[in-house]
Structures are given as C-alpha cells and as structure tokens.
Amino acid sequence: MNYVNTSDWYNSLRREFEISGLGIEKVSRRSEYWRKSNLDIVSDFSQDNSQIDLTNLKGTSLHEPDLIVHGDILESVTERNYQVLNIMDVIADEKSFAKDFFGRLEKKSQNIVPRPLARDNTLNPKVGYVFSLSDSFNKPLVIHNKTDTSVSGSFQRNLIVIKEDVEATIIETGNNLSVFNEVTEIYLEKNAKLNYLDLTGENNVSPKIAHKFCDMAENSSFNHFGLRLNTKATRSEIELHLNGKGISTSIANVCILNKKHHYSDENVLINHNAPECKSRQVFKSIIENDSTSIVRGKIYVASEAQKTDGYQSSRSLLLSENSKFFCKPELEIYADDVICSHGSTSSSLDRESLFYLLSRGVHKNKAKEMLAVAFISEALEEIEDESIKSALSNYLDVWISSFFHE
Amino acid sequence: MLKIDDLRVSLEEEEKQIIKGLSLSINPGEVHAIMGPNGSGKSTLSSVLAGKDGYIVDSGTVKYDGSDLLETEVEKRAALGVFMAFQYPIEIPGVGNMNFLRTALNSQRKTRGQEELNAADFLKLVRSIAKDLEISDEMMKRPVNVGASGGEKKRNEILQMCLLEPKFVILDETDSGLDVDAMKLVSKGVNSFSSSSRSFLVITHYQRLLNYIVPDFVHIMVDGRIVKTGDKSLALHVEETGYKNFLQLGKEKH
Ligand SMILES: Nc1ncnc2c1ncn2[C@@H]1O[C@H](COP(=O)(O)OP(=O)(O)OP(=O)(O)O)[C@@H](O)[C@H]1O
Ligand SMILES: [Mg+2]
C-alpha cells in the first residue's frame, strides 16, 4: 500500500506496526489497565466543541504562546533559534532526522503495558510538532492548544529530542478538543534536562488520552507536572526508560474534580534500567461530587539497577462521600540494593485542622480552601522554577477558592 | 462577660457525660484559674466554649456578652472575642504561618465589619509581637507549628492571642512544656495584654504560673464540676495537699 505524501521509511514502519499492532490487547473492561477507567475515552466521540481556554493564565509567563496547535494545524507564533517542524512534513521527508526516532518509544512502551491507542496514533498522525534542540533555551517554550470546531477525533503526534547538556522547559496550555489522542516521544541525551508542564485540559468535556514516552541517557533529568481541572474523561500515560547512571526524574500531578461523573486517569511506569537513578512520583487529587480520580503508578527496577531510589506518594482528599479514588501503586524489583517506597491515602478534610483555623476566626469556606491549597502544595513543590511555581500556585488558589464558594 | 449555668456535656461518640453540671461566672477584667486532676474535664470545657464539634450539650446555658454562645458558629465566636490557647496546638503542613495569621486577623475584622489590615501594617504588627515573645523570623516563615518544639507551639498560641486581641481568653495548660524563661515570657505577654475589659480562664496544673498571672479566683474541678472556689491561696493549698480532699467533695455532690 502507498500513502500519499509519506516517505518510504514511514510507509515501511507503518506496515510493520500495523501487523504487530494486531497482537496488542484492545481496550476493555477486562484489561487491568482499564478496569476502573472511563471507557468513553475510546467510545464516545460526541463533542461539545466550545472553546475553553486557560484564560486566567493570561498575563502570566504561562500564557504567551510560542506555538499554537489549532485543530489539526500547527502555527509558529514567535521567532526561535531552532526549527519546529510539523509532523506531517516530517513523515513525508525521506531524509528527516526523525526516522531514527519516530515510533521507537511507542513500540517499546508496548512491552509491559498494552497501549493500543498509542499504536493507532502511530498509524494515523494528523498534527504535531517535532524539534531537536541543540541549545538550551532561557525562556520556556509555551505551546497553546485550541479547538477548531470543524475538526474532530484527530490524532496528535509530537517528537522532542534534547541534545547533550541542553536544558529546556515546555509549558502546554489550553484545550484542543479536536484532538482526542496524543503521543509525545521524548529523547533526552546525556546531561539533558526537560521540565514539562502539562496544564491542558481544564474543563475538558471531551475524551482525551495523552501518552508521553521518554528515553533517558546518563545524568539526564525529566520533570513532569500535570494539572487536571475538571476534566470529564482524561487519561494520561507516561512511561520513562532510565537507561544510564545518575538520572533523576519527578512526575507530579494535581487533579481537582468537582463535577459529576468526571474522570481523571493517571498512569505512570518508570523503568529503572541503570544504577543510581532517582525517581519521584507525587499525586494529589481533590475530588467531590461523584467524580473519580485514578492513579496507577509503577516502578520497575531491573536487576542491574542497583542503588535505585524510587518514591511514590498518591493522596486524595475526598470532599463528598460519593467521590472515588482508585490507586494502584506497584513495585516490581529485581535488584537487591534499592530504596523504594510508596504510600497511598484517602481522607476527608482534617477536622482538627479545620477547627484550629475556625477557632481563630477564619471563615469556614476560606478554612477549607486553605487546607485544600495546603493539600496540593507537596505536588507543586516538585516544580523547580520558582516563577512558574508561584504563577501556577496563584492560579490554583483562585481555582480552589471558586471550588468552595460555588 | 461569660456566664455558664448548670452545663452538662456528653461525648458524641460514646454515651459518657464529661461536664456534669458546671456553673461559672466571669466578669470583665477578671482572671479565673481552674485546677483539677487529669481527666476531670478541663479541656472538654474549653473545647465546648471554643465550639469544637464532637460534643452534645445535654443541658445548661452559656451566655457570652448576653448572647447564646453555644448557638454561635466557631468562627463567629472568635470574631466576638473568644480565644482558646490549645493544650496541644496542632501542626498544619502546607499552610504558612504568616498567611494563616493574616487570614485569621482579616477574617475576624471582616466579620466585625472593620477594614482589613494591609500587608505592610500586618507585617509590622506581627513582627513586633514575635519579637516580644522571642519567636524567630524563621519560625514565622514555616507552616503553622510544623517542626516547632512543644514550647515554641505554646509561644505561637500566645502570639496569636496578642495579634487577634480577644476579649475572653482560655489558656489550656499553656504553661505545660514551657521552660522557666519561656514561662516568664509568656506570662509577661499575658500580663501586658490584660486589661479591665479582658477576662482570662487559666487552666493549669501548677501553682507556679499563678505567681506570674495572678488569679482573682481559683476553682477546683473534679469529675466535671467545680467543687471548690477560693482565692489564689487555694492554689497553694492544692500544691501542698493534692486533690485527695476534693475528690470526696466531687462524690458528695452526686
Ligand atoms: N473525644 C473524646 N473521646 C473519648 N474520650 C474523651 C474525648 N474527649 C474527652 N474524653 C474523656 O473525657 C475526660 C475529660 O477529658 P479532658 O481532656 O477534658 O480532661 P482534662 O481535665 O483536660 O485533663 P488533663 O489535665 O489531663 O488535660 C477524660 O476521661 C477523657 O478521656
Ligand atoms: Mg486538658
């Protein structure tokens, strides 16, 4: 079969992936990776394409887009000293550097967990950005997502390569309801560092699954912060391969849901394949009103990954009795000299703390708000950049306050 | 100022009466001390006055400045000037001390219909109080009570008192866990704060404190009641002989 406007390398990859894809377990209630999840993610394409932006971030450094993904169109807004390519051009280019990278991590990600939707994505990309960075940028790259009402059910495919010793920060904002399935493959070379803040999906009423796969070389570092604010059916899958000594990584997530039948579904798999690496996972969910937060976090430690330091904490604050938190922490360890810990808790607002605040005259809603803000602070602390942290923390304060004053 | 009349209070979780017919009247400017054996209900009384949930008022009334205190919301009581220094101040990770203090002060002012204090004025105020109580800047920057020693937590309670300027103050064993110097410091804080319009209810196990904060009345509480009231010499008497004579009084009243 021939594909219009695609290169030979992509065509042959596509053929191979199509065939091997037949063996990938499909999404179903029976799959342990989907048991508690909202299957609307695969079945319900009905879309309310109202365009919702993270408008409150306007005026902060978090809202000056450099790049816009609008429906299935990629727009470059600012001049940069590196080239951002469109995935559609890349898979059409016989000589693209991407041919050594594209699809490799998606394929690897199928080893432990079946990811049929990531495979679909490899076969059908429609939009996405590709860049290879050989110089650090001093300012975060802000990627803004926007819906195009004439497009729906589209697949977004991104590829990021960060060269040796290069550091970068990417902030993703907005909502692109035209895209329902996203895969980002990330390659970090020696000493490279990527901070990725995924602030998308606020009030997203459409199903959305986003995958991020990351290959990490010696001493590299990947810090991911995810924000889920009243997402209706959002699922995130993150898989990291720690392939060299001295890697450090942090995956933090804040999820706040207070609308009926809303879901947020976080799945993380960290493969420690090399010694002396450190990984942290911090999940905080505040849930109310029959909404559901799901966290599946797994740490895999290969036999050669001695001196691994793995930490995982998943905590939820349940504000009503019918809100649900499902947490499945997993450790699979084949090395003997490791420190790995995981903890998971679910609780309501602490009565003693609440009384303490009230007894000092703090109004009830304000007191609850303060405790909720305090609850997520551990996750925010994972963000290194102070200015981003404080912008985000101010933004969340406003958001949480509206939560208690509705 | 405060008038407790035949108060009876049980626990919500189990059928157990803790306060068993307690009456107490406190006028403006008065300092009352309550002493009593462990478990006699002193902290329960303070908690009920401050408005903690988990208790059932079986009977009796508490009037504060003429209004029904037990029917008043916790945060409203605070705004009306009721303040309890906790026997065991809790830690609240993630809530910054300064943010907490400023929110508390301004919430109260708002409830009372006063203007909020701006950041600069607040800072000046809180710094001068902290200085008097020898509370370090570093301590002020931490989350509420997190990592504070027992004595530091008690000092924080007094700082909150001085900042919020309540009219009726309950000190629930604020002296326990304080070293001699800290106790002097705290007493100094309390004394400089006392006035003809402020009243104190001081719960303590030690007569020592009452040398610094001199009470107008000393009450002995046994098994949920006040069994004896006297002046400051009563505290000295307790120090010498313990509670054994009073335990009997508690039973006779049944
Ligand atoms: N929430 C509760 N659950 C169970 N028992 C309680 C509770 N609160 C108080 N009590 C019981 O009520 C009694 C009185 O307790 P309270 O703390 O008021 O005593 P206290 O006089 O302050 O003692 P101490 O001098 O040790 O501080 C005790 O027997 C205590 O165990
Ligand atoms: Mg007590």
Side-chain angles (χ1 to χ4, degrees), chain B residues 43 87 172-173:
Chain B
S43 292
Q87 181 175 0
D172 190 356
E173 294 197 29

Side-chain angles (χ1 to χ4, degrees), chain A residues 350-366 370-371 373-375 377, chain B residues 51-53 74-75 78 83-84 86 90 92-95 100 103-104 107-108 111 145 157 160:
Chain A
D350 182 51
R351 278 169 63 178
E352 300 284 330
S353 306
L354 196 58
F355 175 62
Y356 194 85
L357 297 177
L358 295 178
S359 78
R360 298 306 182 238
V362 179
H363 299 168
K364 194 174 246 149
N365 282 332
K366 182 69 189 169
M370 286 171 86
L371 293 177
V373 166
F375 174 77
S377 65
Chain B
K52 192 172 181 189
D53 58 9
V74 184
E75 60 271 35
F83 179 93
M84 171 181 72
F86 285 67
I90 56 160
I92 315 183
V95 174
F100 160 61
T103 309
S107 301
Q108 290 202 14
T111 308
N145 287 328
E157 297 289 292
Q160 291 166 25

Side-chain angles (χ1 to χ4, degrees), chain B residues 152-164:
Chain B
E152 286 169 336
K153 286 179 187 169
K154 295 297 178 78
R155 264 187 273 175
N156 273 340
E157 297 289 292
I158 298 306
L159 176 128
Q160 291 166 25
M161 176 191 81
C162 294
L163 177 74
L164 299 171

